[in-house]
Amino acid sequence: VVADVSNPVFAHIMKGFQNEATTHGYSVLLIDTREDPKIERESIARLAPLVDGLVLGASRLSDSAITQIVKIRPVVSVNRIIAGLPSIVADTARGLRRLVEHLAQLGHTRFTYLAGPPASWADGVRWRAISEAAHELSLIVRRVGPNQPSLDGGVAAASVWLENPTSAVIAYNDMMAIGFMKAVQRQGVRVPQDVSIAGIDNSISSVLTTPTLTSVAPSTSQIGVRAARALITQLRHRSAPSAETIVVPMDVHVRDSLGPARPIAR
């Protein structure tokens, strides 16, 4: 079950998950909830009786709603820690700290975080990691949002940023970062000469932009593999369910969208 099938990161997770599940003799169904908790809840209610278990990818449901699903089928959570459930998450704190440290080394002292959707558990984790790293390094960071985690969300955030620009921007995900980049470039802002931009997820789209996009991410296919293994373990050992949280390391993929801090050319 994924929040938005059009987001390339979920395709990478799904590929790793499906490969591992198929190896163990399982077939996989995909539900796209379109960032809508109502669709997510109704889709799961219809399909839960037909499957052995569920993986929730960046679920927008409340913890209590997910607890009700667990009473019906084994559940594994991806990109969100849920008490009592096996959870597969990225080492967000370490990965984003490395990115903020890199921005500081380039001379950036003020930057902006383009927040994701309000129901996103990952958005809260990412904001805390970025703000704590900025505080420890004596940098100033502001938050713009919430925004839709899409190209359009990045375009909308760009209009707010242009009113009070900073020398660097970190977006909730790559899609927002790309939407932001295209919007400011149309206004004559150069990347990275006038603003450095980074995303999160390291999707295939990050290497197709001009300039290429710096991004922070774990191995998304590995997240899918670990999710499949965790669910299969639940299915095989139902009498002794596990609530382990598996943390996957994040790497900073530095590309052309980052540069030394300079005043915004207006």
Side-chain angles (χ1 to χ4, degrees), residues 8 13-14 25 40 44 54 73-74 87 94 111-112 116 118 123 155 158 169 186 195 220 248:
I13 292 174
M14 183 65 181
E40 182 174 1
I44 290 173
L54 293 151
R73 288 289 183 268
S87 303
R94 178 171 294 185
F111 64 98
T112 300
D123 180 69
V155 172
V169 167
R186 286 195 293 268
V195 61
T220 47
V248 180

Side-chain angles (χ1 to χ4, degrees), residues 41 71-72 191:
R41 183 170 55 252
K71 295 178 180 179
I72 303 171
V191 181

Side-chain angles (χ1 to χ4, degrees), residues 57-106:
S59 177
R60 304 309 187 214
L61 296 177
S62 65
D63 285 3
S64 60
I66 292 171
T67 300
Q68 295 303 310
I69 298 169
V70 175
K71 295 178 180 179
I72 303 171
R73 288 289 183 268
V75 174
V76 170
S77 175
V78 169
N79 286 355
R80 174 177 170 182
I81 295 176
I82 301 174
L85 290 187
S87 303
I88 320 295
V89 295
D91 191 352
T92 301
R94 178 171 294 185
L96 289 177
R97 179 176 177 98
R98 288 176 177 169
L99 175 60
V100 173
E101 287 175 344
H102 188 69
L103 291 176
Q105 292 168 0
L106 291 171

Side-chain angles (χ1 to χ4, degrees), residues 2-17 35 57-58 60 78-79 90 126 149 172-175 200-205 215-224 250:
V2 300
D4 180 6
V5 75
S6 67
N7 186 332
V9 70
F10 289 117
H12 297 315
I13 292 174
M14 183 65 181
K15 183 175 182 179
F17 179 83
E35 296 282 350
R60 304 309 187 214
V78 169
N79 286 355
R126 291 169 185 181
Y172 167 79
N173 66 10
D174 288 348
M175 299 305 289
I200 300 173
D201 286 339
N202 195 39
S203 63
I204 186 62
S205 303
S215 191
V216 185
S219 167
T220 47
S221 62
Q222 185 61 26
I223 286 179
M250 290 184 86

